[in-house]
């Protein structure tokens, strides 16, 4: 048995010592299995963007919404200045006890160099939103044009099932509105008034939050997601929500 | 290993022996005898009325100052004691309906004597549950409107609410027919109530089971577990309230009623063994699950919820009652009453655990971020505890009044 020109049987018996070439070939097998061989990106794109949309083919062909609003978070650019949180609160009248977006901290003590990274999180505006399915009165719904998950405040009975259904802890109950509240990509406060960006994306000094139309070829969001060089992922893909918030580094 | 087994069996023998010496001997029978008579009836009625009044004050205060301030629930743990109490009541109601239907819907003679009281109690407990949920839901009045004019048919909570509404109507119709002695129509209404109740209850389980985001709840386990545990609750409630009813009325159990409680006791013991089986496999598969499930299992086995789970839910709610049932040979009613009381305590904790423990592992636990690397904490607030007590008070008060007004739910079904 000599895959890739390595005498594996011989090595197993301990009779032969591996040559330099064999070592390199052996490493390649490992890299191919883990997906790193192809820059790690074939795996990431096929699995993550594919999960985010209905099927991998649809990544390039069809989008459920027009404009298909999405956000790409370039995680390593976030410096935790929290201006996005302030801008969000000011724009959307978010009360002190709640938030629509926040920044999580992750410490990696064993890492070389930088040991902490920041992960901005917000509503993922899922294509398959569990909150919408759970809501008894249809107060939470998927906007048919933009794909944004919206809430019709007056229909919210405050059962809070949506808060439990959401895998991203994106929702809280707003006492003033008497309704559950969450990020809506600034739909009522900015997008519907002609603005092109959400408040958080507009203010971010590091351009960590890239907002736009996922289906617009040539757009920045499109460019960041539809490539195989840099890994792109989504949060909790196993839950099957097909998020429209993507994460990358770079 | 062998030593340990010997010790364990010694402990079990010791526990059984201590029950043996105290059952049916003096102190327990003495306690039970004190329940008879007019005086105790009015004392209990006044006490439960007082609790309901205090709870109503607390509930109104909570409406006034807002749930966020009044209750212990948070963004991460939005469901707490009040949801657990609601579930406790509706599970008991469904269980009363299921177990009693064996007699008055499916015609098994020995179950007949418990029918009227059980149907009445099913109505009482679901009303107690609705009273509690009224204070739990942020906008209960919107619920009444938009559940009707804007239903979401893919929502389990919509189905649960709607079907429980129908269930309540059918149970009231059934009880009315039982009162006027029209057993044919009572049977039809009972059947409709049973179907609505089981459907509603499995939807209640599915509210949890269909939440993919919550590994501890997700899957078909919850609806099945809810139905099975309803039967356990129902059997316990029937024994508990029937015995109590007879004591309060100062009457002796007649032979058919003794026979009925004997079979209900057997149902209770059977359901305990089935539920233990469920719990064991839930724990074993959970320990083999992903990081979130493992963290949950550690919390209930050796963490902050170990006393709730192992102490109350398993030991007090199932193991001790099971031993008591076996030792009672399903004939010593006093001992079975004690078992059913312990079961109700354990079952209440069971509801609390299933609701709260499902939320203690945060959504971003597996992301490894600092904010969510630990379990979330929930403590019931004063308001929540008061409203829970109020629910119990409503159930107690209506039960007591029912015993008087309907004269011990006599007039048997044939």
């Amino acid at each position: 048995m000599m895959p890739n020109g390595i005498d594996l049987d011989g090595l197993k018996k301990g009779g032969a010592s591996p040559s330099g070439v064999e070592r390199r070939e052996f490493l390649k097998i490992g890299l191919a299995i883990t997906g790193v061989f192809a820059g790690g990106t074939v795996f990431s794109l096929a699995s993550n963007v594919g999960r985010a949309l209905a099927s991998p083919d649809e990544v390039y062909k069809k989008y459920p919404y027009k404009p298909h609003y999405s956000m790409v978070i370039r995680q390593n650019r976030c410096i935790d200045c929290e201006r996005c949180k302030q801008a969000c609160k000011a724009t959307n009248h978010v009360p002190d006890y709640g938030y629509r977006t926040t920044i999580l901290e992750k410490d990696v003590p064993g890492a070389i160099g930088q040991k902490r990274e920041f992960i901005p999180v917000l509503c993922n505006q899922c294509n398959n939103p569990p909150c919408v399915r759970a809501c008894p009165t249809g107060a939470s719904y998927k906007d048919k044009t933009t794909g944004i998950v919206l809430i019709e405040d007056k229909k919210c009975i405050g059962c809070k099932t949506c808060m439990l259904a959401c895998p991203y802890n994106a929702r809280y109950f707003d006492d003033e509105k008497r309704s559950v509240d969450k990020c809506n990509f600034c739909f009522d406060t900015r997008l519907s008034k002609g603005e092109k960006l959400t408040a958080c994306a507009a203010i971010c000094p590091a351009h960590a939050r890239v907002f736009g139309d996922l289906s617009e070829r040539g757009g920045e969001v499109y460019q960041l997601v539809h490539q195989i060089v840099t890994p792109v992922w989504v949060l909790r893909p196993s839950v099957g929500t097909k998020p429209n918030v993507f994460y990358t580094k770079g | 290993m062998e030593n340990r087994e010997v010790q364990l069996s010694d402990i079990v023998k010791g526990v059984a022996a201590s029950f043996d010496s105290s059952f049916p001997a003096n102190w327990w029978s003495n306690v039970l005898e004190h329940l008879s008579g007019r005086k105790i009836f009015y004392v209990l009625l006044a006490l439960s009325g007082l609790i309901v009044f205090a709870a109503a004050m607390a509930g109104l205060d909570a409406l006034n100052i807002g749930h966020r301030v009044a209750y212990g629930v948070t963004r991460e743990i939005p469901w707490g004691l009040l949801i657990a109490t609601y579930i406790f009541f509706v599970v008991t109601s469904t269980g009363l309906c299921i177990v009693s239907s064996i007699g008055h819907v499916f015609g098994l003679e020995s179950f007949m004597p418990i029918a009227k009281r059980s149907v009445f109690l099913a109505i009482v407990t679901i009303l107690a549950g609705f009273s509690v949920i009224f204070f739990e839901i942020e906008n209960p009045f919107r619920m009444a409107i938009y559940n009707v004019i804007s239903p979401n048919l893919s929502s389990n909570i919509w189905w649960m609410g709607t079907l429980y509404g129908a269930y309540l109507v059918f149970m009231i119709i059934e009880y009315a027919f039982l009162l006027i002695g029209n057993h044919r129509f009572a049977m039809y209404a009972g059947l409709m109530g049973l179907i609505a109740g089981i459907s509603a209850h499995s939807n209640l389980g599915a509210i949890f089971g269909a939440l993919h985001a919550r590994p501890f709840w997700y899957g078909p386990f919850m609806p099945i577990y809810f139905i099975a545990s309803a039967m356990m609750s129902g059997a316990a409630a029937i024994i508990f309230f029937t015995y109590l009813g007879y004591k309060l009325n100062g009457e002796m159990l007649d032979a058919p009623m003794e026979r009925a409680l004997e079979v209900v006791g057997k149902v209770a013991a059977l359901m305990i063994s089935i539920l233990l089986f469920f719990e064991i496999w839930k724990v074993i598969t959970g320990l083999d699950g992903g990081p979130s499930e493992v963290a949950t299992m550690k919390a209930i086995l050796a963490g902050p919820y170990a006393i709730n789970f192992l102490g109350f839910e398993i030991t007090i709610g199932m193991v001790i009652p099971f031993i008591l049932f076996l030792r009672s040979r399903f004939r010593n009613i006093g001992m079975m009453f004690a078992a059913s009381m312990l079961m109700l305590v354990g079952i209440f904790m069971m509801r609390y655990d299933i609701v709260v423990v499902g939320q203690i592992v945060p959504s971003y636990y597996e992301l490894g971020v600092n904010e969510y690397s630990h379990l979330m904490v929930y403590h019931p607030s004063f308001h929540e505890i008061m409203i829970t007590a109020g629910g119990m008070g409503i159930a107690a008060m209506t039960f007591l009044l029912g015993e008087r007004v309907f004269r011990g739910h006599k007039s048997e079904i044939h």
Side-chain angles (χ1 to χ4, degrees):
Chain A
M1 196 182 133
M2 291 182 64
N4 298 30
I6 317 172
D7 180 9
L8 286 178
D9 287 339
L11 286 173
K12 209 157 66 184
K13 287 179 192 127
S17 72
S19 67
V21 176
E22 279 176 335
R23 273 182 223 275
R24 264 196 297 279
E25 289 301 325
F26 189 76
L27 276 173
K28 278 187 190 170
I29 297 173
L31 293 176
I33 290 166
T34 55
V36 177
F37 185 61
T41 52
V42 175
F43 251 44
S44 318
L45 194 71
S47 56
N48 293 322
V49 182
R51 278 192 201 111
L53 295 160
S55 79
D57 292 341
E58 289 181 35
V59 173
Y60 298 103
K61 286 179 193 160
K62 204 177 134 207
Y63 296 86
Y65 307 101
K66 189 71 194 170
H68 192 119
Y69 284 124
S70 291
M71 188 178 283
V72 180
I73 291 174
R74 298 197 281 187
Q75 199 173 295
N76 59 326
R77 291 191 174 218
C78 177
I79 53 169
D80 197 28
C81 67
E82 299 200 341
R83 281 197 227 172
C84 52
K85 290 173 71 172
Q86 291 160 8
C88 175
K89 278 191 188 272
T91 308
N92 299 301
H93 315 290
V94 179
D96 292 340
Y97 51 82
Y99 62 82
R100 287 182 173 200
T101 182
T102 192
I103 299 165
L104 303 173
E105 288 178 15
K106 184 173 180 174
D107 282 332
V108 188
I112 300 163
Q114 182 186 333
K115 296 184 195 322
R116 171 173 289 180
E117 60 177 346
F118 302 108
I119 309 175
V121 289
L122 67 162
C123 170
N124 281 235
Q125 318 292 352
C126 310
N127 282 358
N128 183 19
C131 51
V132 169
R133 192 199 65 79
C135 178
T137 59
S140 277
Y141 64 100
K142 187 87 174 150
D143 184 63
K144 287 191 173 66
T145 314
T146 61
I148 296 174
V149 175
L150 297 172
I151 300 173
E152 194 176 345
D153 292 342
K154 72 172 201 288
K155 285 187 182 174
C156 176
I157 65 168
C159 68
K160 300 178 184 171
T161 315
C162 58
M163 290 167 66
L164 287 163
C166 175
Y168 306 108
N169 191 18
R171 295 171 161 255
Y172 70 98
F173 191 83
D174 187 325
D175 283 353
E176 284 69 38
K177 289 182 171 178
R178 304 296 309 149
S179 166
V180 166
D181 186 55
K182 66 162 201 67
C183 165
N184 59 4
F185 277 164
C186 294
F187 186 70
D188 54 335
T189 47
R190 289 175 65 95
L191 297 186
S192 61
K193 292 175 180 165
E195 298 274 358
K196 294 284 175 227
L197 294 178
T198 62
C200 57
I203 199 133
C204 180
H207 201 33
R209 293 173 185 249
V210 183
F211 180 77
D213 182 353
L214 181 65
S215 68
E216 186 197 329
R217 279 171 193 269
E220 201 176 358
V221 167
Y222 185 94
Q223 301 275 346
L224 284 167
V225 174
H226 299 88
Q227 47 78 34
I228 59 168
V229 179
T230 313
V232 175
W233 65 94
V234 296
L235 297 180
R236 299 191 69 182
S238 63
V239 184
T241 51
K242 302 185 193 305
N244 283 308
V245 173
F246 298 91
Y247 288 79
T248 186
K249 290 184 183 181
Chain B
M1 202 62 208
E2 216 169 83
N3 261 344
R4 225 170 114 195
E5 274 168 29
V6 169
Q7 281 174 356
L8 265 178
S9 68
D10 281 350
I11 292 167
V12 172
K13 268 183 205 159
V15 169
S18 71
F19 283 124
D20 238 7
S21 56
S22 54
F23 283 104
N26 297 329
W27 69 269
W28 183 241
S29 333
N30 284 343
V31 169
L32 297 182
E33 287 322 307
H34 281 301
L35 285 172
S36 293
R38 290 186 80 81
K39 208 169 148 192
I40 188 80
F41 174 85
Y42 288 112
V43 168
L44 289 175
L45 192 67
L47 197 68
S48 52
L50 211 63
I51 291 170
V52 173
F53 179 75
M57 292 295 106
L60 291 175
D61 188 47
L63 285 181
N64 187 35
I65 63 176
H67 293 185
R68 188 172 55 79
V69 182
Y71 299 162
V73 289
T74 58
R75 178 180 186 132
E76 280 78 21
I77 302 193
W79 283 358
L81 178 63
L82 296 184
I83 291 282
T85 308
Y86 167 72
I87 292 174
F88 173 75
F89 280 123
V90 300
V91 170
T92 307
S93 177
T94 317
L96 283 160
C97 168
I98 296 174
V99 177
S100 67
S101 72
I102 299 172
H104 64 94
V105 175
F106 298 108
L108 211 72
E109 199 66 37
S110 46
F111 280 84
M112 293 293 193
I114 57 163
K116 276 188 77 179
R117 184 177 275 105
S118 300
V119 173
F120 179 76
L121 285 171
I123 296 167
V124 164
T125 44
I126 193 124
L127 286 175
F130 284 164
S131 318
V132 172
I133 207 74
F134 175 84
F135 291 105
E136 202 281 337
I137 296 280
E138 293 270 4
N139 304 311
F141 300 109
R142 282 189 198 167
M143 176 170 69
I145 301 166
Y146 290 103
N147 263 24
V148 178
I149 66 169
S150 179
N152 175 12
L153 299 185
S154 70
S155 161
N156 296 104
I157 205 159
W158 184 85
W159 281 103
M160 187 268 297
T162 307
L163 288 164
Y164 264 132
Y167 164 83
L168 176 61
V169 172
F170 287 129
M171 294 308 274
I172 290 173
I173 293 173
E174 181 189 11
Y175 191 69
F177 279 125
L178 285 176
L179 277 184
I180 59 171
N182 187 335
H183 297 304
R184 225 168 84 85
F185 282 99
M187 195 271 275
Y188 289 133
L191 184 62
M192 295 302 288
L194 180 68
I195 293 168
I198 289 182
S199 316
H201 200 56
S202 61
N203 265 291
L204 178 59
I207 291 171
F208 298 93
L211 295 182
H212 205 149
R214 307 276 164 177
F216 181 64
W217 291 336
Y218 181 67
F221 177 82
M222 291 295 278
I224 302 165
Y225 170 81
F226 264 55
I227 294 290
S229 71
M231 287 190 73
M232 181 169 90
S233 310
I238 288 170
I239 298 167
F240 182 79
F241 284 110
T242 304
Y243 184 82
L244 214 56
Y246 272 79
K247 277 286 160 203
L248 285 168
N249 293 321
E251 290 172 11
M252 295 291 285
L253 293 164
D254 51 12
M257 187 53 101
E258 277 190 349
R259 170 78 190 128
L261 291 188
E262 184 187 331
V263 287
V264 174
K266 284 176 183 167
V267 170
L270 172 71
M271 294 320 294
I272 288 175
S273 51
I274 291 174
L275 261 289
L276 274 173
F277 183 80
F278 274 38
E279 302 265 15
I280 287 167
W281 285 110
K282 177 77 179 160
V283 168
I284 292 175
T285 54
L287 285 171
D288 239 357
S292 297
E293 283 119 301
V294 173
T296 316
M297 292 307 151
K298 281 184 179 163
I300 60 171
L301 293 177
Y305 291 88
I307 294 175
N308 275 14
F309 179 69
L310 294 176
F312 280 94
E313 195 176 326
I314 301 292
T315 311
I316 293 178
M318 295 201 254
V319 175
I320 296 175
F322 191 74
I323 295 170
L324 286 176
F325 276 123
L326 293 189
R327 293 211 66 87
S328 76
R329 294 176 199 285
F330 305 102
R331 291 189 188 280
N332 182 336
I333 306 287
M335 201 187 280
M336 279 170 53
F337 173 70
S340 68
M341 194 167 68
L342 293 178
M343 276 174 83
L344 290 176
V345 172
I347 289 166
F348 184 82
M349 216 45 117
M350 196 176 190
R351 306 303 166 218
Y352 183 82
D353 290 345
I354 204 81
V355 170
V356 176
V357 171
Q359 304 168 72
I360 55 174
V361 176
S363 296
Y364 288 125
Y365 184 70
E366 292 179 32
L367 195 58
V369 291
N370 302 347
E371 291 86 348
Y372 296 116
S373 57
H374 53 273
L375 299 182
M376 297 284 111
V377 179
Y378 163 75
H379 294 297
S381 73
F382 170 76
H383 286 84
E384 287 172 300
I385 292 169
M386 281 308 292
I387 294 167
T388 296
M392 308 276 176
I394 288 176
M397 203 164 77
T398 30
F399 160 72
L400 290 166
L401 289 173
E403 290 299 325
R404 260 319 121 91
V405 174
F406 300 111
R407 293 167 198 286
H409 303 280
K410 287 289 164 53
S411 83
E412 279 155 30
I413 304 162
H414 293 288

